[in-house]
Amino acid sequence: MNHMVDVSAHREAVEIADDVYWIGALDPTLRTFDIILSTANGTTYNSYLIKGSEGVAIIDTVKENFSSEFFARLESEVSYDQIKVIVLNHLEPDHTGALPELMRRAPQAQLYISQRATSMLKALLKPNTDTFEYTTVNTNDTVSLGDRTLRFLHTPYLHWPDTQCTYLEEENILFSGDVFGCHYCDKRLFNDRVGDFRFSFDYYYAHIMRPFKKHVMDALKLIEPLKIRQIAPTHGPILRERPRRYITHYRELSTSSLSREVGGQSDKSLIIFYMSSYGNTARMAEAINSGASEVEGVRVSQYDLEGGETDPFVDLIEEADAMLFGSPTINGDAVKPVWDLLSSLAVVNLKGKIGGAFGSYGWSGEAVSMIEDRMRGLKMNIPKKGLRVKLIPTDQELDECRDFGQLIAEVLVGRSQENQVIEFADLA
Ligand SMILES: Cc1cc2nc3c(=O)[nH]c(=O)nc-3n(C[C@H](O)[C@H](O)[C@H](O)COP(=O)(O)O)c2cc1C
Ligand SMILES: [Fe+2]
Ligand SMILES: [Fe+2]
């Protein structure tokens, strides 16, 4: 038995501050969001309505199949001809699904989006024949509702290029889009009322925001100086109880833990991952390690993938400056644990990190170049062609491995003149 007001049954707007309402939708049965996220108790699509003395603003909409819930809540407070402003903080369909119908019902409303959202707006609304007028806004642009002012913050890549936040100045409410959101469905709506959503909050950050940590830090520079009474994201609880701690938490999550561990230590970090059945690739790894370790200012770590799990390695890779992968060639391929790790890196940004590959082989030896291709796909720099050894490495080949390790380490600390680092990402 639940004695709380059931917002899903009532379909009425919920006032979150003076004349500011939640008019979103609950999706409690959703179990997977966007293919990549598990949603153990569903999610919410939060949309907001602000009444001003000179008109109404709607901030974001909902996923298309939740439109009727959204319109019912909207209609419980205002009529469509009162709507003056529609703000889209993010154009992903979970927030723009109801937009075409809303624009049909409120054709006089002016649409506000970020500059980067313009091409997306067209592409997303392709199936609709309607064309929409819109205004693009940037940081500190404002729009007035008479006694209320909306101020825009340009916060791109959180988590799409188009994303922005909108700040209601008089009420100190930050409409943050997906930022500070999470997939957590609880009809009690507010962070001081809902269940324990910490796991969902961190999980959402880890999968959606983590690849964009640098952009999170940039956005926080705009957000932190604001006076904030509530954060109203597009998914999950509205953060009205101690909202600032979520901002602090985002800063912590976006700060390298390695830099916290080692303080001012400026060593570059190089990690060697490998697998080996007969010990051949392992011997190469040892030699590469000893070569790299000779270079001052480089901290080398070495891991056998047979003895590790993916997630902690992903954390290490995120903070490493360089990484080398060693794999024997088995049936024309690199071994599965190497691929498992290399395919788990979408949540981290590897652009510009230094990479390299090595491995022992019997006759065809494809593994090394396959790994290099993957690293290039991850926008890493491969300063030195990978190293292959046929079967058991000779002393001379182990010397080559040492040289390889040393060279990678020297490139890492900027001491090698010989090999230019090529920004493969910039070649495209
Ligand atoms: C089941 C199996 C399949 C193999 N397939 C290939 C192959 O397709 N191409 C190749 O160059 N070597 C192949 N090899 C040879 C290994 O790459 C070679 O033995 C290598 O030295 C193993 O290195 P490790 O001791 O580091 O595992 C294969 C070996 C095994 C056991
Ligand atoms: Fe999104
Ligand atoms: Fe979203």
Side-chain angles (χ1 to χ4, degrees):
M1 282 294 288
N2 193 316
H3 302 283
M4 305 300 295
V5 176
D6 186 342
V7 293
S8 56
H10 287 272
R11 293 179 156 224
E12 275 173 11
V14 178
E15 192 161 30
I16 70 166
D18 256 3
D19 280 338
V20 181
Y21 300 83
W22 175 85
I23 55 165
L26 305 176
D27 187 359
T29 60
L30 186 81
R31 290 295 169 265
T32 309
F33 186 90
D34 275 4
I35 313 171
I36 59 165
L37 288 178
S38 309
T39 49
N41 69 0
T43 193
T44 66
Y45 311 105
N46 299 335
S47 168
Y48 301 93
L49 183 155
I50 302 157
K51 288 183 193 166
S53 59
E54 288 170 17
V56 166
I58 307 289
I59 315 265
D60 295 314
T61 76
V62 300
K63 201 171 173 176
E64 191 177 9
N65 34 344
F66 292 83
S67 298
S68 69
E69 216 175 308
F70 161 74
F71 287 122
R73 293 207 165 91
L74 190 158
E75 287 165 19
S76 76
E77 281 304 325
V78 298
S79 58
Y80 293 104
D81 58 3
Q82 292 174 272
I83 300 172
K84 180 185 173 191
V85 168
I86 298 171
V87 175
L88 301 178
N89 283 325
H90 176 30
L91 269 65
E92 204 173 346
D94 53 335
H95 309 298
T96 48
L99 180 73
E101 182 56 29
L102 178 61
M103 292 300 282
R104 255 169 248 135
R105 296 184 189 193
Q108 76 289 346
Q110 186 57 243
L111 199 56
Y112 292 86
I113 58 176
S114 76
Q115 180 65 46
R116 281 190 159 126
T118 53
S119 61
M120 281 188 183
L121 187 68
K122 289 186 192 100
L124 277 166
L125 300 177
K126 258 185 222 157
N128 293 277
T129 47
D130 319 54
T131 49
F132 298 124
E133 297 280 306
Y134 56 81
T135 305
T136 59
V137 286
N138 210 328
T139 299
N140 287 334
D141 286 345
T142 57
V143 58
S144 172
L145 302 172
D147 58 349
R148 301 192 136 175
T149 316
L150 296 172
R151 182 141 64 92
F152 301 100
L153 308 177
H154 181 54
T155 55
Y157 291 102
L158 298 182
H159 61 126
W160 275 19
D162 63 310
T163 50
Q164 62 176 356
C165 296
T166 303
Y167 181 64
L168 177 57
E169 293 194 335
E170 294 75 11
E171 296 293 328
N172 309 125
I173 300 175
L174 182 71
F175 299 98
S176 57
D178 283 344
V179 189
F180 304 115
C182 64
H183 291 309
Y184 192 86
C185 185
D186 191 320
K187 53 198 167 195
R188 294 167 292 190
L189 291 185
F190 298 97
N191 67 328
D192 52 310
R193 298 234 187 108
V194 300
D196 189 341
F197 66 102
R198 284 174 298 176
F199 161 77
S200 305
F201 191 89
D202 285 3
Y203 178 80
Y204 190 88
Y205 176 93
H207 287 83
I208 300 294
M209 298 298 161
R210 181 178 179 177
F212 304 102
K213 280 185 173 181
K214 282 192 199 120
H215 297 283
V216 172
M217 292 302 240
D218 288 342
L220 290 176
K221 279 184 213 144
L222 296 177
I223 292 169
E224 280 170 340
L226 301 174
K227 186 176 176 211
I228 289 184
R229 270 175 36 201
Q230 294 193 41
I231 298 172
T234 45
H235 298 286
I238 297 164
L239 310 170
R240 67 177 181 186
E241 173 76 25
R242 296 205 286 145
R244 181 124 337 239
R245 84 187 137 122
Y246 298 94
I247 297 171
T248 311
H249 191 49
Y250 253 54
R251 180 166 278 284
E252 280 164 8
L253 290 171
S254 306
T255 305
S256 146
S257 62
L258 185 67
S259 66
R260 284 203 295 263
E261 285 292 309
V262 298
Q265 201 172 312
S266 58
D267 278 3
K268 297 278 188 186
S269 158
L270 164 67
I271 306 183
I272 301 167
F273 294 102
Y274 69 97
M275 280 284 276
S276 189
S277 56
Y278 293 99
N280 298 329
T281 305
R283 254 166 252 144
M284 295 178 76
E286 286 295 345
I288 290 168
N289 187 340
S290 71
S293 299
E294 281 167 25
V295 177
E296 207 177 312
V298 178
R299 192 191 218 194
V300 186
S301 320
Q302 183 179 322
Y303 300 105
D304 184 344
L305 289 173
E306 204 180 337
E309 286 180 19
T310 302
D311 285 356
F313 285 150
V314 173
D315 293 346
L316 292 180
I317 287 172
E318 181 176 31
E319 302 203 348
D321 302 294
M323 69 215 74
L324 301 173
F325 279 86
S327 172
T329 297
I330 303 289
N331 297 333
D333 203 346
V335 294
K336 188 168 179 295
V338 169
W339 287 130
D340 286 346
L341 186 50
L342 285 170
S343 68
S344 303
L345 299 173
V347 293
V348 294
N349 180 7
L350 301 180
K351 188 176 177 191
K353 290 190 197 279
I354 288 169
F358 61 95
S360 169
Y361 69 102
W363 56 94
S364 52
E366 294 90 337
V368 168
S369 61
M370 291 171 97
I371 292 170
E372 286 177 324
D373 285 346
R374 171 65 180 153
M375 287 181 150
R376 286 189 196 106
L378 291 165
K379 304 189 179 73
M380 295 176 65
N381 297 318
I382 315 292
K384 176 93 178 135
K385 194 173 176 324
L387 207 56
R388 300 190 312 167
V389 165
K390 192 165 170 116
L391 296 169
I392 300 170
T394 61
D395 285 347
Q396 193 198 328
E397 283 166 332
L398 289 174
D399 282 342
E400 284 167 26
C401 289
R402 267 183 286 275
D403 291 347
F404 179 77
Q406 189 176 343
L407 191 129
I408 294 286
E410 280 170 354
V411 171
L412 188 54
V413 294
R415 227 169 283 155
S416 169
Q417 307 296 322
E418 186 185 341
N419 287 57
Q420 278 292 313
V421 179
I422 302 160
E423 267 280 2
F424 283 94
D426 293 342
L427 293 177

